[in-house]
Amino acid sequence: EGFSISFVDVSERVKEIAADLHMRDYYTATTYFRVFIASMFPQYDKAFYLDCDTVILGDVSELYEQNLDGYMLAGAPCEGVNSFEVYKRYVTEVDGLNPDYFFNAGVLLLNLKSFREEGFYEQFADLLRKYKFTVIQDEDYLNVLCQDKVLRLPRSWNKSPVANDVLPREELRIVHYLMTWKPWRYTDIPYQEYFWEYAVRTEFYDQLKGMLDSATVADMEKDKLVEKNLKALAESEISRADGYFKVYGKRYGNKA
């Protein structure tokens, strides 16, 4: 009781900027869908966005009730960035941002009213045409455009297996199986027990378990190659003379 589910097709909106979108590896145009939420749902002033590779262990109403006055969104530090020196350097040198404050875009509380008032979509489309972020993609755009208007959340709201520290369940709110740390592909993923705890209660359990059981050495080698290539891409972007921060400076639209 008290809720409904709607499936909303955003493919037509994506066509507007499809030619400018950059995709790589397992990324598709769907990763950019979150930027359309404010314009697609004008009746709402706030929205909770969640990636599909997550498990909720806490009460998300605690997050939703956060006061976003003066902020465009609330997000937690990106552990995928801060667990690797090359990505920390990428965020610092290419985005011109402090990696400690670089948020992961998989769990977001969005101030939709502010997105509309700030003209976020227009800024995003404009920057997309001017500069292609190829490493962290939509996350780069969101961090660059919202950088000074972000409410920082505790890591417990977006905890990933990537980081070395493992939090006990009572401290966890949301677990995010980002990058290649997927419990439906590997048997040694931190926090995997929470994923299977809920997966077994769905009609998809047999399919998910089959994906795990059928994973091959070739699949694992492919994942390693994806990780290696991404790090190499980050190094390449860092060395570019025409990188975003070198050309535009920290504040988009102003020369350094």
Side-chain angles (χ1 to χ4, degrees), residues 1-252:
E1 296 182 3
F3 75 93
S4 62
I5 298 174
S6 300
F7 294 90
V8 182
D9 185 357
V10 300
S11 57
E12 288 302 314
R13 291 175 180 265
V14 172
K15 287 180 182 178
E16 300 171 12
I17 57 172
D20 297 313
L21 297 179
H22 177 81
M23 273 77 75
R24 59 161 175 78
D25 302 326
Y26 51 81
Y27 278 83
T28 67
T30 58
T31 193
Y32 292 93
F33 286 177
R34 73 200 89 193
V35 306
F36 297 102
I37 294 174
S39 60
M40 291 183 66
F41 301 98
Q43 69 272 38
Y44 299 121
D45 288 338
K46 183 189 285 188
F48 173 47
Y49 172 87
L50 188 67
D51 271 359
C52 61
D53 53 352
T54 53
V55 169
I56 297 178
L57 299 174
D59 183 351
V60 295
S61 69
E62 296 176 13
L63 174 57
Y64 189 80
E65 291 168 2
Q66 292 281 334
N67 187 337
L68 288 182
D69 290 347
Y71 300 104
M72 291 186 70
L73 57 83
C78 183
E79 294 188 326
V81 163
N82 285 292
S83 296
F84 302 93
E85 286 301 318
V86 63
Y87 300 135
K88 291 171 71 173
R89 288 195 293 113
Y90 169 84
V91 166
T92 300
E93 300 182 36
V94 178
D95 292 337
L97 302 174
N98 183 340
D100 291 337
Y101 297 122
F102 189 92
F103 60 85
N104 177 269
V107 179
L108 296 174
L109 182 62
L110 302 169
N111 185 339
L112 303 184
K113 185 172 184 289
S114 179
F115 265 64
R116 291 187 287 266
E117 291 176 346
E118 296 278 346
F120 174 84
Y121 173 74
E122 290 75 18
Q123 293 182 51
F124 167 73
D126 183 54
L127 182 53
L128 187 65
R129 286 187 289 268
K130 291 181 177 180
Y131 192 85
K132 297 287 191 299
F133 287 110
T134 59
V135 177
I136 320 179
Q137 304 188 134
D138 63 310
E139 209 162 280
D140 285 313
Y141 290 103
L142 282 164
N143 273 271
V144 165
L145 292 171
C146 300
Q147 57 182 282
D148 296 328
K149 297 185 177 181
V150 178
L151 176 64
R152 314 295 172 183
L153 297 175
R155 290 187 304 150
S156 58
W157 282 109
N158 194 344
K159 195 73 182 74
S160 80
V162 179
N164 290 326
D165 61 321
V166 177
L167 299 181
R169 178 161 184 159
E170 60 268 22
E171 295 183 25
L172 295 169
R173 296 296 177 266
I174 296 177
V175 175
H176 186 184
Y177 303 97
L178 50 72
M179 300 172 76
T180 57
W181 277 261
K182 312 296 188 188
W184 55 93
R185 287 181 67 86
Y186 298 96
T187 59
D188 58 348
I189 301 296
Y191 311 120
Q192 63 186 10
E193 63 271 26
Y194 308 130
F195 174 81
W196 292 112
E197 176 184 340
Y198 291 100
V200 73
R201 296 160 58 181
T202 75
E203 62 185 277
F204 306 107
Y205 174 75
D206 290 339
Q207 182 180 351
L208 291 164
K209 189 65 165 58
M211 293 170 65
L212 177 65
D213 294 340
S214 63
T216 66
V217 173
D219 292 329
M220 298 176 188
E221 290 301 318
K222 182 179 179 180
D223 283 344
K224 290 180 181 178
L225 182 60
V226 166
E227 294 174 359
K228 179 180 179 181
N229 288 345
L230 184 57
K231 290 178 179 178
L233 179 60
E235 292 283 6
S236 175
E237 290 296 298
I238 291 169
S239 66
R240 282 179 55 175
D242 61 344
Y244 166 77
F245 184 61
K246 295 171 183 174
V247 173
Y248 293 102
K250 188 169 185 178
R251 172 57 57 197
Y252 172 58

